[in-house]
Amino acid sequence: MARVRRPNLAPEAARRSREQLTRAGGDLREGRVRRHLTQAQAGDRAGIGRGVVSRIELGLGGAVSIDAWQRLGLAVGRPIHISIQRDPLGETADAGHLAMQALVPRLGRRASYAGSFELATKPAEPWRSADVGLAAPAEHRLIHVERWNVIGDIGAAVRSSTRKQAELADLAVARWGTDATTGLVWVVCATARNRALVARYPEVFARAFPGSSRGWVDALVNGVPPPEEPGLVWTDVGATRLFAWRRRTG
């Protein structure tokens, strides 16, 4: 009987590990710096050496034990959370998330955009991606859409979107030249929690997303030129429509 040849999973495993180690190490460094701790001080709290802390923060902590990671996370106020990806053969528990991700390309097609899921922002580093990319080649325009069911660390999320937007700007210039334009918009599920979060920090969101929310809805639904500045729009919980964010005034 012929032996079944198993696929080589090493490249994909290595890619995922690099991405997750880099992200987690950066989060721990951010927590340490925010608490005004040196690497040596954080290491003393966690019972590990400064060199181990440095490797973890650089994304090179793959050989470090989970216990050491957890102690360092606790030391800098960022406990480690480990989870296994949901079984694809089971019920899709993130159906709401996927529905939001599907809504934007569906609307985009009606507005003559070509939509891409998980659009790679840097082709040389495929683990870097935007949730949804909408391209209008005739107008040399690329729109980066980030969809949010739950917003965790606001600052980290904004920084991540800003970094991806800069990468997509380079990608757009490589495709169409220096007249290419890009845009950034957050599509946020209008849950009570998210509405309360935005209402609690109006200045933070106003500074991060100064672009007209109504203008962004019109751009995504009707294909008109989008605002030049980043924006935020809401989607209903069922992910069936987009509507504008009404900023608090006064």
Side-chain angles (χ1 to χ4, degrees):
M1 181 176 179
R3 185 176 180 180
V4 176
R5 186 175 182 180
R6 296 182 180 276
N8 183 4
L9 300 179
E12 175 66 9
R15 181 189 70 79
R16 289 174 179 267
S17 294
R18 282 196 306 271
E19 178 183 1
Q20 292 169 11
L21 288 169
T22 299
R23 183 186 303 121
D27 287 345
L28 293 187
R29 180 185 184 282
E30 186 177 82
R32 175 181 65 77
V33 172
R34 184 174 291 131
R35 287 159 181 78
H36 306 290
L37 295 172
T38 65
Q39 288 182 336
Q41 290 169 333
D44 286 343
R45 288 187 177 189
I48 58 179
R50 188 200 65 80
V52 177
V53 176
S54 177
R55 290 200 300 277
I56 289 175
E57 291 185 351
L58 290 171
L60 304 175
V64 178
S65 71
I66 293 297
D67 181 68
W69 271 89
Q70 193 64 265
R71 282 184 277 124
L72 181 59
L74 292 170
V76 300
R78 301 292 299 272
I80 305 300
H81 173 73
I82 299 174
S83 63
I84 302 298
Q85 182 171 309
R86 199 170 292 111
D87 188 345
L89 299 182
E91 182 180 357
T92 304
D94 62 345
H97 185 77
L98 294 175
M100 285 179 62
Q101 196 171 17
L103 172 64
V104 174
R106 185 167 67 248
L107 293 175
R109 283 196 300 273
R110 298 175 187 172
S112 300
Y113 283 106
S116 300
F117 292 106
E118 302 297 339
L119 175 64
T121 57
K122 295 187 73 173
E125 300 177 12
W127 59 90
R128 295 181 183 271
S129 64
D131 288 344
V132 176
L134 296 178
E139 287 78 27
H140 295 180
R141 182 185 306 137
L142 190 59
I143 296 177
H144 167 205
V145 183
E146 288 281 298
R147 75 280 182 275
W148 294 93
N149 270 1
V150 178
I151 304 173
D153 187 323
I154 299 172
V158 170
R159 287 192 297 275
S160 175
S161 291
T162 301
R163 186 259 304 164
K164 292 177 184 179
Q165 176 65 10
E167 293 171 353
L168 282 179
D170 292 338
L171 182 62
V173 170
R175 284 185 180 182
W176 301 309
T178 56
D179 65 333
T181 61
T182 58
L184 167 65
V185 60
W186 274 19
V187 176
V188 182
C189 186
T191 60
R193 179 190 182 279
N194 287 339
R195 284 179 172 274
L197 182 66
V198 173
R200 190 180 310 131
Y201 303 107
E203 288 300 321
V204 172
F205 283 93
R207 288 178 180 274
F209 304 102
S212 166
S213 184
R214 187 176 299 278
W216 270 108
V217 171
D218 203 20
L220 295 173
V221 174
N222 299 316
V224 303
E228 294 183 358
E229 297 178 303
L232 183 151
V233 304
W234 295 112
T235 179
D236 61 314
V237 176
T240 62
R241 65 186 180 92
L242 302 178
F243 57 98
W245 163 40
R246 296 182 179 179
R247 302 169 189 266
R248 180 184 296 179
T249 60

